[in-house]
Amino acid sequence: MDQGIAEGHCFTLISAQAGSGKSSLACAWLNHWQESPNHKAAWLALDESDNDPQRFWRYFAAALNHAQPAIGMEALNALSSDQTGDFMLVIHSLLNDTANQSASLVLVLDDYHLITNVEVHKGIEYLLDHIPDQLHLLICTRANPPLPVVRYRARRKLTELRAAELNFSLEETAQFFEQALSNSLNQDQIAILSQRTEGWVVGLQLTALSLQDREDVKQFIEEFQESQFFILEYLSEEVI
C-alpha cells in the first residue's frame, strides 16, 4: 500500500480471494504507519461468533481502547451488561471519544467476510457516515462487504485494493522465483506460471514448493500449462 491512506479518506477496503496477502499487506502498512508517534493502530481479527452485536462492539471498543486508553471506557462499561439494547449509543460514544483525541488511529477489521449480521453492517455503515478525521477504518475481506462502497467511492472517502492490485505482475513473479528457487527458470517458463496462477500469491508459493529440487522442471511446467484442474487443487496435490 505504497500510497498509504489517501488524504481525506476514512475507509480502506482490501478485498481479494484467500491467500492474496491481504492481512500481510495491512500488517506491513501498519508497521510503517506507527513509525509516527502521533499515529496509533488497532487490529480486530473477526470470526463467526462476532456476528453477535454485543460481542462485536465490545471487541471493537476494546481494540480502540487498547490502542488509545482515552477511547472506549464508557462504551465498554455499557457493553459489560447483557442488557445493552441500543448499539448506536455505543457507536456515538466511540465516535465522540475518538474525535476528542489529537492522535490519528487506524482500526483494522480482518476477515470481515465472516460477518453476516445485518445489524453489525448497519452499525459499521453508520460509523463510516459519521467518522471523525482522527479515525480510519481498514477492512480486509474475501468478498465485497454489504456496505455502500459505491457511495464512499463517489464521495472520495474510500481507498480500494482488489485482487488486480494484490496479485503479482510478471516482473514481480520473476523476482519471486529468483528468490524462492535455487534452479533458474527462463522467461517463457515464468510467463506460463504467471499466466496460470494469475499472479496469485499462494499459487506462486505452492508452485515454488512443487519445483524445489525438481529435475523435471520442463515437464512439470508443460503439464502445469495444459492442466484444466483448479490451480489450488493441482498444486496442493503436487506439494503433498
Side-chain angles (χ1 to χ4, degrees):
M1 201 185 306
D2 293 336
Q3 74 273 29
I5 292 176
E7 184 177 356
H9 290 196
C10 64
F11 177 25
T12 294
L13 176 64
I14 305 178
S15 178
Q17 71 270 41
S20 297
K22 300 182 295 296
S23 299
S24 297
L25 176 62
C27 185
W29 185 83
L30 283 191
N31 288 335
H32 174 71
W33 163 261
Q34 292 181 97
E35 290 177 359
S36 170
N38 203 40
H39 288 172
K40 308 296 181 181
W43 190 289
L44 181 54
L46 301 168
D47 59 38
E48 289 86 349
S49 62
D50 295 317
N51 280 289
D52 173 15
Q54 182 93 10
R55 177 186 175 101
F56 179 90
W57 289 110
R58 184 169 67 248
Y59 284 0
F60 191 103
L64 294 177
N65 180 256
H66 180 74
Q68 190 75 299
I71 300 174
M73 287 306 303
E74 181 180 345
L76 286 170
N77 289 334
L79 290 163
S80 64
S81 169
D82 292 335
Q83 303 302 315
T84 303
D86 189 352
F87 293 103
M88 289 301 174
L89 295 177
V90 170
I91 298 171
H92 269 293
S93 175
L94 294 173
L95 291 172
N96 289 336
D97 285 351
T98 307
N100 290 327
Q101 306 307 309
S102 59
S104 296
L105 174 60
V106 174
L107 173 60
V108 177
L109 298 181
D110 197 15
D111 288 335
Y112 192 79
H113 55 274
L114 297 175
I115 301 300
T116 58
N117 187 300
V118 174
E119 186 174 357
V120 173
H121 293 313
K122 288 182 177 179
I124 292 295
E125 180 180 347
Y126 184 86
L127 181 139
L128 286 171
D129 285 342
H130 299 84
I131 197 167
D133 293 338
Q134 293 87 338
L135 181 60
H136 187 100
L137 198 65
L138 193 161
I139 288 180
C140 296
T141 178
R142 296 181 188 177
N144 210 45
L147 299 169
V149 172
V150 174
R151 186 173 81 211
Y152 299 134
R153 185 186 300 132
R155 294 179 179 178
R156 300 184 181 278
K157 290 186 174 183
L158 173 66
T159 299
E160 293 178 85
L161 289 173
R162 305 281 182 166
E165 287 79 33
L166 294 177
N167 291 347
F168 281 14
S169 66
L170 178 58
E171 180 181 354
E172 290 168 334
T173 298
Q175 293 174 352
F176 170 79
F177 282 120
E178 182 179 349
Q179 295 174 2
L181 299 175
S182 56
N183 59 315
S184 60
L185 301 175
N186 62 46
Q187 292 184 348
D188 290 341
Q189 291 171 331
I190 291 172
I192 290 171
L193 298 177
S194 177
Q195 187 272 331
R196 286 291 281 130
T197 61
E198 297 181 348
W200 181 40
V201 177
V202 164
L204 293 172
Q205 291 172 333
L206 289 173
T207 302
L209 287 173
S210 300
L211 288 169
Q212 282 181 354
D213 302 320
R214 194 170 193 135
E215 296 181 359
D216 58 337
V217 171
K218 182 178 179 181
Q219 180 182 349
F220 172 85
I221 293 178
E222 288 176 352
E223 294 175 353
F224 188 78
Q225 182 180 19
E226 296 170 0
S227 173
Q228 298 302 312
F229 290 108
F230 178 53
I231 200 69
L232 178 59
E233 180 182 353
Y234 179 84
L235 289 170
S236 296
E237 290 177 357
E238 283 292 323
V239 172
I240 292 172

